[in-house]
């Protein structure tokens, strides 16, 4: 099939726009990598865009990885992500299974109640009072227990389960299986794409969350990584990592340390994403096509 001049112009325009969008999206992260690998004295001589490391130095990464706040933030974040994902999966799968069955009493009313939480909430102060009254204030559990069920993620899994034919569960019932066995042995193996999306969305949400920690955690020793990074970017001049740094190099050393911290806190998610990518597209497109 021959392409007309109009087709070539349209394709060329599309490629140009997409390339520019890719550059715009990638450059901030590449900037962080380039600056973090730069020598502060060489970085001071750079003006304009940074398109490669100015010199080469790993001192910023050494400072970050030797900093107690960063390492402690990693430990707290790993606890929050692991427990948060496990709890959300454990709550979401049974909920989605029940709401995907057509014969469940008040199914639509329960679904409407859950959907309303996507648009209306109690607000910051009432939520804070609930957290405090339940004894969760200044506890890492305050970042996982109140958000065990995410309505959007539950809808994704429920939609996928609704597409599983009723005959499978009916056959299992005739063979003596109960609902827990049907969920565990039939629905969960068939729902791997949606579960992968659930794990990815939940993990990224818990990994990037800092505001709840800022509100509910008082002790700095319990701060997750993103809150540590936020404090570093705002109050970096007060860090112990900048001791014995000359006044002339202070700002550039601080900048390399900040960007190294951004890279260190972002890389784990970038490594996990390719493992779940094959399920991601299929999972997020659930329900978008009707036969």
């Amino acid at each position: 099939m021959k392409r007309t001049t109009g087709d070539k112009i349209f394709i060329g325009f599309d490629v140009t726009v997409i390339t520019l969008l890719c550059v715009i999206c990638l450059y901030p992260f590449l900037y962080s990598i380039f600056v973090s690998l730069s020598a502060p004295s060489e970085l001071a001589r750079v003006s304009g865009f940074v398109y490669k490391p100015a010199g080469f130095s790993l001192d910023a990464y050494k400072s970050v990885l030797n900093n107690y706040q960063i390492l402690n933030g990693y430990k707290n974040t790993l606890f929050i992500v692991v427990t948060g994902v496990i709890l959300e999966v454990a709550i979401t799968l049974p909920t989605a299974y029940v709401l995907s069955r057509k014969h469940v009493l008040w199914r639509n009313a329960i679904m409407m109640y859950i959907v309303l939480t996507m648009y209306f909430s109690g607000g910051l102060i009432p939520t804070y009072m609930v957290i405090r009254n339940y004894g969760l204030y200044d506890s890492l559990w305050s970042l996982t227990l109140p958000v065990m069920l995410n309505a959007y993620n539950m809808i994704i899994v429920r939609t996928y389960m609704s597409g599983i034919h009723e005959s499978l569960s009916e056959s299992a019932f005739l063979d003596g299986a109960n609902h827990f066995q049907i969920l565990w042995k039939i629905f969960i193996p068939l729902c791997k794409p949606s579960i992968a999306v659930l794990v990815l969305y939940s993990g990224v949400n818990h990994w990037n969350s800092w505001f709840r920690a800022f509100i509910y955690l008082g002790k700095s020793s319990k701060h997750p990584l993103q809150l540590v990074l936020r404090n570093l970017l705002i109050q970096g001049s007060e860090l112990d990592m900048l001791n014995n740094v000359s006044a002339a190099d202070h700002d550039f050393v601080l900048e390399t340390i900040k960007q190294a911290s951004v890279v260190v806190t972002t890389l784990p998610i970038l490594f996990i994403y390719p493992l779940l990518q094959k399920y991601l597209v299929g999972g997020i497109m659930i329900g978008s096509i009707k036969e």
Side-chain angles (χ1 to χ4, degrees):
M1 180 174 167
K2 293 183 179 180
R3 291 178 178 173
T4 64
T5 303
D7 292 336
K8 294 179 180 179
I9 294 174
F10 179 76
I11 293 174
F13 177 78
D14 284 350
V15 171
T16 302
V17 171
I18 293 173
T19 302
L20 288 175
L21 290 175
C22 289
V23 171
I24 292 171
C25 293
L26 288 175
Y27 180 74
F29 186 64
L30 293 176
Y31 172 86
S32 297
I33 295 176
F34 295 153
V35 172
S36 65
L37 294 174
S38 299
S41 57
E42 296 292 330
L43 185 63
R45 300 190 181 97
V46 177
S47 60
F49 286 100
V50 179
Y51 58 90
K52 65 178 181 178
F56 182 79
S57 175
L58 295 176
D59 291 341
Y61 287 98
K62 292 178 183 178
S63 298
V64 169
L65 296 177
N66 288 330
N67 182 264
Y68 169 76
Q69 293 175 324
I70 295 290
L71 298 179
N72 189 62
Y74 255 113
K75 181 189 72 174
N76 293 334
T77 296
L78 288 176
F79 173 82
I80 293 168
V81 170
V82 172
T83 57
V85 170
I86 292 175
L87 288 173
E88 186 165 344
V89 171
I91 294 296
T92 301
L93 291 180
T95 304
Y97 169 75
V98 171
L99 295 178
S100 67
R101 301 301 89 195
K102 298 178 181 179
H103 60 273
V104 173
L105 186 64
W106 296 342
R107 182 185 70 151
N108 293 333
I110 297 172
M111 191 64 202
M112 181 61 68
Y113 177 80
I114 294 175
V115 171
L116 283 175
T117 63
M118 299 175 64
Y119 303 97
F120 304 99
S121 65
L124 180 60
I125 295 177
T127 304
Y128 175 84
M129 294 175 63
V130 170
I131 295 293
R132 197 171 189 90
N133 291 336
Y134 275 95
L136 294 175
Y137 181 78
D138 207 19
S139 169
L140 293 179
W141 292 106
S142 65
L143 307 182
T144 57
L145 291 178
V147 292
M148 285 191 297
L149 182 65
N150 182 286
Y152 179 77
N153 294 340
M154 192 279 295
I155 291 173
I156 290 178
V157 181
R158 171 189 173 272
T159 305
Y160 196 95
M161 288 185 174
S162 297
I164 298 177
H165 204 277
E166 289 279 354
S167 60
L168 289 174
S169 56
E170 291 173 357
S171 299
F173 274 124
L174 292 176
D175 291 334
N178 55 41
H179 286 290
F180 290 103
Q181 291 172 324
I182 293 173
L183 173 63
W184 181 256
K185 295 183 178 180
I186 297 178
F187 279 76
I188 289 180
L190 293 175
C191 292
K192 287 182 180 179
S194 62
I195 295 175
V197 173
L198 170 63
V199 170
L200 181 62
Y201 283 4
S202 176
V204 171
N205 181 48
H206 285 294
W207 182 273
N208 290 331
S209 177
W210 68 271
F211 186 71
R212 291 198 305 271
F214 180 72
I215 298 297
Y216 303 138
L217 298 180
K219 297 179 181 178
S220 60
S221 60
K222 295 183 179 180
H223 286 177
L225 189 59
Q226 298 300 331
L227 184 56
V228 172
L229 176 61
R230 179 255 184 194
N231 295 335
L232 171 64
L233 297 177
I234 294 178
Q235 305 169 350
S237 59
E238 302 177 4
L239 292 174
D240 295 335
M241 291 184 284
L242 296 175
N243 292 337
N244 303 322
V245 175
S246 64
D249 292 337
H250 181 277
D251 290 341
F252 297 100
V253 173
L254 176 60
E255 184 65 18
T256 59
I257 291 174
K258 286 181 177 180
Q259 300 305 330
S261 302
V262 171
V263 174
V264 167
T265 56
T266 305
L267 283 179
I269 290 296
L270 293 181
F271 287 138
I272 292 174
Y273 178 80
L275 300 178
L276 301 176
Q277 184 182 17
K278 64 180 180 179
Y279 299 112
L280 184 61
V281 176
I284 62 177
M285 293 295 289
I286 293 169
S288 62
I289 299 176
K290 299 294 184 182
E291 295 182 358

